[in-house]
Amino acid sequence: MSNIIVQKYGGSSVANPKRIAQVARRIIGYRRKGYDLVVVVSALGDTTDDLLKLAYKITSSPSERELDMLISTGEQISVALLAMAIHKLGDEAISFTGAQVGIITDSAHTQARIIKINTSRIRKELQQKKIVIVAGFQGVDLSKEITTLGRGGSDLTAVALAQALKAKSCEIYTDVEGVYTADPRIVLQARKLEKLSYDEMLELASLGTQVLQARCVLLAKRFNIPIMVRSSFTNKGGTMISQEVKAMEKVVVSAVTLNKNEAKITMRDVPDKPGIAAKIFKTIADEGISVDMIVQNISRTGFTDLSFTVTKENLARKVKIARKVGQQIGAGDVIADQDIARVSIVGVGMKSHSGIAANMFESLAENRINIEMISTSEISISCVIRKKFAERAVQAIHKKFKL
Ligand code: ASP
Ligand code: MG
């Protein structure tokens, strides 16, 4: 095993010069303990959002290549500033873009995948006792075009580097102390979890918990790289995300999470015939729209209502596409509903315990909250409810399962 630690600092951890100096001190502290440090940084604060807004002020359909050219600059600022902050404290550090350290990706602009990482430059700098600082969220394709890895992609950069460098550990620093049993802003009694399995974290990330990017958890799982999520503002230990161990199954429900970024599209009076659902969802998929939950009512008349959820981004376009296919198949009205929320519970223990769904539904019933859609996986249960009940639902479920 190497002596390398990969640390990633998120946008809020480097939001201003004072915080950058704090991060520099923390990094130097680890350096003094004798570790070789590879540090991945995100763009300062909300820089990426601000850059995107700028682009959309110029045009409503910016070229994806130019978008990557633009938004990759955010991380280039933060790596340089962090290197300067370390220099000021008297230590050696050097900053790099993704391209400079050989993070090679495919050419899918704004959503690129890492193909390989050529670690020789990083290793050379580490040998010279430098702290290596790498711009997160970016890479370069084989024709030297700058690419980005999807929102939150610095997490992915960190895990991919930890894998390529066979690092001793991978730490993701953020503005919260780890992963909680629920969002502490909603549930006062929420607790920080000491550990979670990759699968639980994956479900939580895709169901609304914003601590870690889902793709990075997939990569960590594939190569079995434990990730420590912790706060850059304290010295407390965080949440360890690693392979599932037997003891984890004793905890039936680990956390409850909330997603308010989805809308429900309902297609009325859809002919209840073989091939219709295939036609609808094929058309929608071909337009690059991903659908989440799907509910189809039973039909008594040969027609049925079909509802599905999508993210709220570009909702008008999604509705338009649903209308168009609706017309083609002879369906009725198409309605979009943005006032929904999805509450979910996640836990590996669900695999070996029964009655969990009943308990969840009961806690919603006790609070007179109607369930509009339900979906389950091996380790999660989700309910779509009215958005105005979202917080109350999370609190009730947290209490019911004594999280
Ligand atoms: N700065 C990028 C974003 O905001 C990448 C990241 O934060 O990980 O999505
Ligand atoms: Mg960010």
Side-chain angles (χ1 to χ4, degrees):
M1 171 112 19
S2 74
N3 201 28
I4 301 171
I5 294 186
V6 174
Q7 296 186 335
K8 178 255 169 176
Y9 292 90
S12 52
S13 304
V14 291
N16 55 49
K18 204 173 137 207
R19 289 192 183 168
I20 294 174
Q22 256 167 26
V23 166
R25 277 195 293 275
R26 181 183 290 270
I27 293 168
I28 290 172
Y30 277 90
R31 181 83 197 96
R32 296 278 147 78
K33 287 184 200 157
Y35 295 114
D36 290 332
L37 281 153
V38 175
V39 179
V40 175
V41 216
S42 293
L44 273 56
D46 297 327
T47 307
T48 311
D49 289 322
D50 296 342
L51 290 170
L52 282 168
K53 276 185 208 142
L54 256 181
Y56 285 95
K57 274 193 184 138
I58 303 279
T59 163
S60 61
S61 50
S63 130
E64 294 197 315
R65 179 196 183 272
E66 303 306 332
L67 267 183
D68 276 352
M69 191 62 112
L70 177 72
I71 58 181
S72 60
T73 61
E75 274 70 12
Q76 207 170 323
I77 296 172
S78 44
V79 286
L81 293 175
L82 182 57
M84 292 175 198
I86 294 174
H87 295 163
K88 186 177 171 208
L89 296 171
D91 267 66
E92 291 203 70
I94 183 163
S95 69
F96 291 111
T97 64
Q100 281 179 301
V101 288
I103 300 182
I104 312 296
T105 72
D106 64 16
S107 307
H109 283 292
T110 75
Q111 278 300 335
R113 282 172 185 279
I114 298 176
I115 302 170
K116 66 164 201 259
I117 301 184
N118 183 347
T119 56
S120 57
R121 183 75 198 262
I122 295 181
R123 291 189 189 281
K124 195 177 123 215
E125 301 295 340
L126 288 177
Q127 258 155 28
Q128 295 176 5
K129 298 293 160 215
K130 286 188 189 147
I131 295 166
V132 174
I133 304 172
V134 180
F137 175 56
Q138 57 175 263
V140 65
D141 76 1
L142 290 170
S143 20
K144 296 215 159 62
E145 299 284 5
I146 295 176
T147 55
T148 63
L149 309 175
R151 297 306 306 272
S154 302
D155 292 347
L156 190 66
T157 307
V159 174
L161 280 171
Q163 197 264 326
L165 293 161
K166 310 231 170 330
K168 200 186 192 77
S169 69
C170 180
E171 302 179 329
I172 308 274
Y173 286 90
T174 176
D175 52 1
V176 291
E177 280 173 19
V179 186
Y180 282 72
T181 50
D183 185 337
R185 286 167 302 186
I186 300 176
V187 182
L188 278 176
Q189 300 84 352
R191 280 181 307 111
K192 186 186 75 194
L193 293 156
E194 295 297 319
K195 49 181 187 282
L196 267 178
S197 69
Y198 293 122
D199 289 333
E200 287 172 309
M201 189 65 236
L202 257 180
E203 291 269 345
L204 286 172
S206 51
L207 293 171
T209 302
Q210 276 177 346
V211 199
L212 269 187
Q213 188 213 34
R215 264 171 81 188
C216 104
V217 186
L218 265 179
L219 188 70
K221 180 183 174 187
R222 187 157 133 225
F223 293 102
N224 193 16
I225 299 162
I227 309 175
M228 172 63 108
V229 181
R230 54 192 298 196
S231 164
S232 62
F233 304 130
T234 69
N235 281 318
K236 294 187 193 154
T239 304
M240 183 61 107
I241 294 145
S242 60
Q243 227 164 25
E244 184 180 326
V245 292
K246 203 85 204 123
M248 285 179 179
E249 274 200 36
K250 287 202 196 106
V251 186
V252 182
V253 176
S254 295
V256 45
T257 184
L258 178 63
N259 185 350
K260 288 184 180 172
N261 295 325
E262 289 185 334
K264 180 168 79 171
I265 296 181
T266 300
M267 299 177 70
R268 286 264 163 83
D269 300 326
V270 175
D272 192 14
K273 286 191 305 217
I276 292 287
K279 161 91 182 155
I280 295 174
F281 291 106
K282 170 96 176 45
T283 310
I284 290 173
D286 286 348
E287 293 284 345
I289 298 168
S290 43
V291 165
D292 202 354
M293 292 162 118
I294 301 175
V295 170
Q296 184 186 317
N297 294 327
I298 36 163
S299 79
R300 294 195 186 81
T301 53
F303 292 92
T304 173
D305 288 353
L306 188 96
S307 296
F308 53 90
T309 62
V310 292
T311 59
K312 278 183 189 160
E313 284 158 36
N314 296 323
L315 184 62
R317 179 177 162 257
K318 294 172 182 171
V319 172
K320 213 164 120 190
I321 291 161
R323 278 217 173 100
K324 205 166 129 203
V325 55
Q327 271 158 14
Q328 288 165 9
I329 56 171
D333 224 9
V334 171
I335 329 161
D337 179 354
Q338 301 205 51
D339 292 323
I340 60 162
R342 173 180 184 150
V343 274
S344 313
I345 53 175
V346 172
V348 282
M350 279 184 212
K351 286 194 247 182
S352 49
H353 290 77
S354 56
I356 315 301
N359 272 336
M360 178 175 184
F361 302 157
E362 207 172 75
S363 70
L364 294 174
E366 284 158 6
N367 284 274
R368 298 179 172 282
I369 299 171
N370 188 39
I371 302 171
E372 299 178 23
M373 295 167 109
I374 299 167
S375 84
T376 63
S377 80
E378 208 184 12
I379 62 165
S380 76
I381 304 167
S382 293
C383 295
V384 167
I385 58 171
R386 283 295 98 199
K387 195 164 78 184
K388 62 179 177 201
F389 298 135
E391 282 75 19
R392 204 204 291 172
V394 171
Q395 287 155 0
I397 294 168
H398 195 271
K399 201 165 162 199
K400 186 86 175 174
F401 288 100
K402 302 193 173 68
L403 301 183

